[in-house]
Coordinates of all heavy atoms in Angstrom, one line a residue:
T1409 N -34.6 40.0 215.3 CA -34.2 41.4 215.3 C -32.8 41.5 215.9 O -31.9 42.2 215.3 CB -35.1 42.3 216.2 OG1 -36.5 42.2 215.6 CG2 -34.7 43.7 216.2
A1410 N -32.5 40.8 216.9 CA -31.2 40.8 217.5 C -30.1 40.3 216.6 O -29.0 40.8 216.4 CB -31.1 40.0 218.8
I1411 N -30.5 39.2 215.9 CA -29.5 38.6 214.9 C -29.3 39.6 213.7 O -28.2 39.8 213.3 CB -30.1 37.3 214.4 CG1 -30.0 36.2 215.5 CG2 -29.3 36.8 213.1 CD1 -30.6 34.9 215.1
S1412 N -30.4 40.2 213.3 CA -30.2 41.2 212.2 C -29.4 42.4 212.6 O -28.5 42.9 211.9 CB -31.6 41.7 211.8 OG -32.4 40.7 211.2
L1413 N -29.5 42.9 213.8 CA -28.7 44.0 214.4 C -27.3 43.6 214.5 O -26.4 44.3 214.2 CB -29.3 44.4 215.7 CG -30.5 45.3 215.7 CD1 -31.1 45.5 217.1 CD2 -30.3 46.6 214.9
A1414 N -27.0 42.3 214.9 CA -25.6 41.8 215.1 C -25.0 41.8 213.7 O -23.8 42.2 213.6 CB -25.6 40.5 215.7
F1415 N -25.7 41.3 212.7 CA -25.1 41.2 211.4 C -24.9 42.6 210.8 O -23.9 42.9 210.2 CB -25.9 40.4 210.4 CG -25.7 38.9 210.5 CD1 -26.7 38.1 210.9 CD2 -24.5 38.4 210.2 CE1 -26.5 36.7 211.0 CE2 -24.3 37.0 210.3 CZ -25.3 36.2 210.7
G1416 N -25.8 43.5 211.0 CA -25.7 44.9 210.6 C -24.5 45.6 211.2 O -23.7 46.3 210.6
L1417 N -24.3 45.3 212.5 CA -23.2 45.9 213.2 C -21.9 45.4 212.7 O -20.9 46.2 212.5 CB -23.3 45.7 214.8 CG -22.2 46.2 215.6 CD1 -22.2 47.8 215.5 CD2 -22.4 45.8 217.1
L1418 N -21.8 44.1 212.5 CA -20.6 43.5 211.9 C -20.3 44.1 210.6 O -19.1 44.4 210.2 CB -20.7 42.0 211.9 CG -20.5 41.2 213.2 CD1 -20.8 39.8 213.0 CD2 -19.1 41.4 213.7
S1419 N -21.3 44.3 209.8 CA -21.1 44.8 208.4 C -20.6 46.3 208.5 O -19.8 46.7 207.7 CB -22.4 44.8 207.6 OG -22.8 43.5 207.4
A1420 N -21.2 47.0 209.4 CA -20.8 48.4 209.5 C -19.3 48.5 210.1 O -18.6 49.4 209.6 CB -21.7 49.2 210.5
C1421 N -19.0 47.7 211.0 CA -17.6 47.7 211.6 C -16.5 47.2 210.6 O -15.4 47.6 210.7 CB -17.5 46.9 212.8 SG -18.5 47.5 214.2
A1422 N -16.9 46.4 209.7 CA -15.9 45.8 208.8 C -15.7 46.8 207.6 O -16.5 46.9 206.8 CB -16.4 44.5 208.2
G1423 N -14.6 47.5 207.7 CA -14.3 48.4 206.6 C -13.8 47.7 205.4 O -13.6 46.5 205.3
Q1424 N -13.7 48.5 204.3 CA -13.2 48.0 203.1 C -11.7 47.8 203.3 O -11.2 47.9 204.4 CB -13.4 49.0 202.0 CG -14.9 49.2 201.7 CD -15.5 47.9 201.1 OE1 -14.9 47.2 200.3 NE2 -16.7 47.7 201.5
D1425 N -11.0 47.5 202.2 CA -9.5 47.3 202.3 C -8.8 48.6 202.6 O -8.4 49.3 201.8 CB -9.0 46.7 201.0 CG -9.6 45.3 200.8 OD1 -10.0 44.7 201.7 OD2 -9.6 44.9 199.6
V1426 N -8.7 48.9 203.9 CA -8.1 50.1 204.4 C -6.6 50.0 204.4 O -6.1 49.0 204.9 CB -8.6 50.5 205.8 CG1 -7.9 51.7 206.3 CG2 -10.1 50.7 205.8
V1427 N -5.9 50.9 203.7 CA -4.5 50.8 203.7 C -4.0 51.9 204.7 O -4.2 53.1 204.5 CB -3.9 51.2 202.3 CG1 -2.4 51.2 202.3 CG2 -4.4 50.2 201.3
E1428 N -3.4 51.4 205.8 CA -2.9 52.2 206.8 C -1.7 53.0 206.3 O -1.1 52.6 205.3 CB -2.5 51.4 208.1 CG -3.7 50.6 208.6 CD -3.8 49.2 207.9 OE1 -3.0 48.9 207.1 OE2 -4.8 48.6 208.2
G1429 N -1.3 54.0 207.0 CA -0.1 54.7 206.6 C 1.1 53.8 206.7 O 1.1 52.7 207.3
P1430 N 2.2 54.2 206.0 CA 3.4 53.4 206.0 C 4.0 53.2 207.4 O 3.8 54.0 208.2 CB 4.4 54.2 205.1 CG 3.5 55.1 204.3 CD 2.3 55.4 205.1
V1431 N 4.7 52.1 207.6 CA 5.3 51.8 208.9 C 6.8 52.1 208.7 O 7.3 52.4 207.6 CB 5.1 50.3 209.2 CG1 3.7 50.0 209.5 CG2 5.7 49.4 208.2
A1432 N 7.5 52.1 209.8 CA 9.0 52.4 209.7 C 9.7 51.3 209.1 O 9.9 50.2 209.6 CB 9.5 52.7 211.1
L1433 N 10.2 51.6 207.8 CA 11.0 50.6 207.1 C 12.4 51.2 206.7 O 13.0 50.7 205.7 CB 10.3 50.1 205.9 CG 9.2 49.1 206.2 CD1 8.6 48.6 204.9 CD2 9.6 47.9 207.0
G1434 N 12.9 52.2 207.4 CA 14.2 52.7 207.2 C 14.5 53.0 205.8 O 13.8 53.8 205.1
N1435 N 15.6 52.4 205.3 CA 16.1 52.7 203.9 C 15.4 51.8 202.8 O 15.9 51.8 201.7 CB 17.6 52.6 203.9 CG 18.1 51.2 204.2 OD1 17.3 50.2 204.2 ND2 19.4 51.0 204.5
F1436 N 14.3 51.1 203.2 CA 13.7 50.2 202.2 C 13.1 50.9 201.0 O 12.3 51.9 201.1 CB 12.5 49.5 202.9 CG 11.8 48.5 202.0 CD1 12.2 47.2 201.8 CD2 10.6 48.9 201.4 CE1 11.5 46.4 200.9 CE2 9.9 48.1 200.5 CZ 10.4 46.8 200.3
K1437 N 13.4 50.4 199.8 CA 12.7 50.8 198.6 C 12.5 49.6 197.8 O 13.5 48.8 197.6 CB 13.6 51.8 197.8 CG 12.9 52.4 196.6 CD 13.6 53.5 196.0 CE 12.8 54.1 194.9 NZ 13.2 55.5 194.6
L1438 N 11.3 49.3 197.3 CA 11.0 48.1 196.6 C 11.7 48.1 195.2 O 11.5 49.0 194.4 CB 9.5 47.9 196.4 CG 9.1 46.6 195.7 CD1 9.5 45.4 196.5 CD2 7.6 46.6 195.5
G1439 N 12.6 47.1 195.0 CA 13.2 47.0 193.7 C 12.3 46.0 192.9 O 11.2 46.3 192.5
H1440 N 12.8 44.8 192.7 CA 12.1 43.8 191.9 C 11.0 43.2 192.8 O 11.3 42.8 194.0 CB 13.0 42.7 191.3 CG 14.0 43.3 190.4 ND1 13.6 43.7 189.1 CD2 15.3 43.5 190.5 CE1 14.7 44.1 188.5 NE2 15.8 44.0 189.3

């Protein structure tokens, strides 16, 4: 039970590929 709960907690805490908001990159704009 403890092992199952631990795996369940880890699964719940692990989010999908979350894209955080942009960071400060000043005048950066992706060219090529």
Side-chain angles (χ1 to χ4, degrees):
T1409 302
I1411 290 172
S1412 296
L1413 286 173
F1415 278 118
L1417 181 61
L1418 282 172
S1419 297
C1421 291
Q1424 295 296 321
D1425 296 337
V1426 176
V1427 178
E1428 304 83 7
V1431 296
L1433 286 183
N1435 61 14
F1436 178 86
K1437 183 171 189 156
L1438 183 62
H1440 297 289

